Amino acid sequence: MATSSWHRWQLTAPLAALSRPVRTPHATTGPVAVADAGEPADGLPVLLGGARARQVDATTCGSAVLVMLAATGDPALAQWLETGQLPAGPRPPEVPHEDVPGGAAERFAAAQQRVKAATGRRALGPLPWPAGLGTPPWTAAREARFPGVRYRVRPVDDTTEDGATVLGLVEAANRRGHPVPLYTGGDVRGGLAHAVPRHVVLAVPPPSGAAVPGTLRIYEPSRGSVLTVPSADLLGRTEPLRALGGWTHVVAALLPVPA
């Protein structure tokens, strides 16, 4: 699929980019076919104003995810990210007060830094979070914004029935139109540093009328791509997965609840 082919299935351009449908051959059906057919190995590229929507550095995966989450529900932020222009009305908190020189890539980077600063404040009681450690789940849930909901952290153990239930809740939230941030990581076999949350991705709603039960569409910010994954592939994993940023497990989900 050409990177310039946009299908505006939703209200804002970021979610349109995140929600582009995957072409499936007429002779195949089911989640595996959707995950494999018509989608490049590195996923479908996500573009904002012609620029690939990537995290700006190794510590801003969570910030990139929170910017995309906010932009899918805020047309003003989406317009600024794409064009640099703000419509009349309140200024989105992700938009710096000073002008951002350059194009869409620079605007996305600046928004990420704004979000990183916000999630770093008051992360350890009154104390800030160390900048080199990325985005803690509890402040990500505090700062995440999408119309009509707030977010709560839910741990995930993909070897248990509860883990499967949480992934089912993620899929259900996506069907309702709510993006869901997911924290990913390794396991204790790789040492303690691997067993804690290491990366953040975003499970995004499918195109209108194109949901396939048992699959998730995941925006991976280090690639700036959306990859389609059968939910069953996220259970009891032993190998890294591109859609999880090269990590093995989903270790936490930020689930939406009514505001």
Side-chain angles (χ1 to χ4, degrees), residues 141-142 144-152 176 178 255-259:
R142 181 188 73 195
R145 65 183 192 92
F146 193 82
V149 300
R150 53 193 174 88
Y151 285 83
R152 288 183 175 173
R176 294 193 301 271
H178 299 144
L255 293 176
V257 296

Side-chain angles (χ1 to χ4, degrees), residues 8-50:
R8 295 184 179 274
W9 296 98
Q10 306 288 346
L11 292 178
T12 65
L15 190 53
L18 293 170
S19 301
R20 283 182 296 176
V22 178
R23 282 198 198 93
T24 56
H26 68 277
T28 59
T29 59
V32 174
V34 170
D36 291 343
E39 182 172 286
D42 203 39
L44 296 173
V46 178
L47 302 178
L48 290 174

Side-chain angles (χ1 to χ4, degrees), residues 9 26 65 69 74-75 107 119-120 162 172 218 229 243:
W9 296 98
H26 68 277
V65 160
L69 169 64
D74 185 342
R107 290 190 294 274
T119 56
D162 182 69
I218 296 178
V229 180

Side-chain angles (χ1 to χ4, degrees), residues 3-174:
T3 58
S4 61
S5 177
W6 284 51
H7 297 265
R8 295 184 179 274
W9 296 98
Q10 306 288 346
L11 292 178
T12 65
L15 190 53
L18 293 170
S19 301
R20 283 182 296 176
V22 178
R23 282 198 198 93
T24 56
H26 68 277
T28 59
T29 59
V32 174
V34 170
D36 291 343
E39 182 172 286
D42 203 39
L44 296 173
V46 178
L47 302 178
L48 290 174
R52 194 78 170 250
R54 289 191 174 103
Q55 65 191 77
V56 70
D57 62 36
T59 69
T60 57
C61 53
S63 304
V65 160
L66 292 177
V67 172
M68 293 299 284
L69 169 64
T72 60
D74 185 342
L77 175 58
Q79 179 175 321
W80 180 80
L81 287 169
E82 284 213 290
T83 70
Q85 302 298 314
L86 276 174
R91 191 182 194 89
E94 298 81 8
V95 177
H97 290 286
E98 65 277 5
D99 290 337
V100 177
E106 288 75 20
R107 290 190 294 274
F108 190 39
Q112 290 176 50
Q113 295 297 350
R114 287 273 296 182
V115 169
K116 184 177 177 181
T119 56
R121 288 192 288 268
R122 302 185 310 280
L124 301 169
L127 301 177
W129 185 253
L133 297 182
T135 306
W138 54 93
T139 62
R142 181 188 73 195
E143 298 297 329
R145 65 183 192 92
F146 193 82
V149 300
R150 53 193 174 88
Y151 285 83
R152 288 183 175 173
V153 181
R154 180 80 176 262
V156 177
D157 181 345
D158 62 19
T159 65
T160 67
E161 184 175 339
D162 182 69
T165 297
V166 175
L167 291 176
L169 293 174
V170 173
E171 184 182 345
N174 285 172

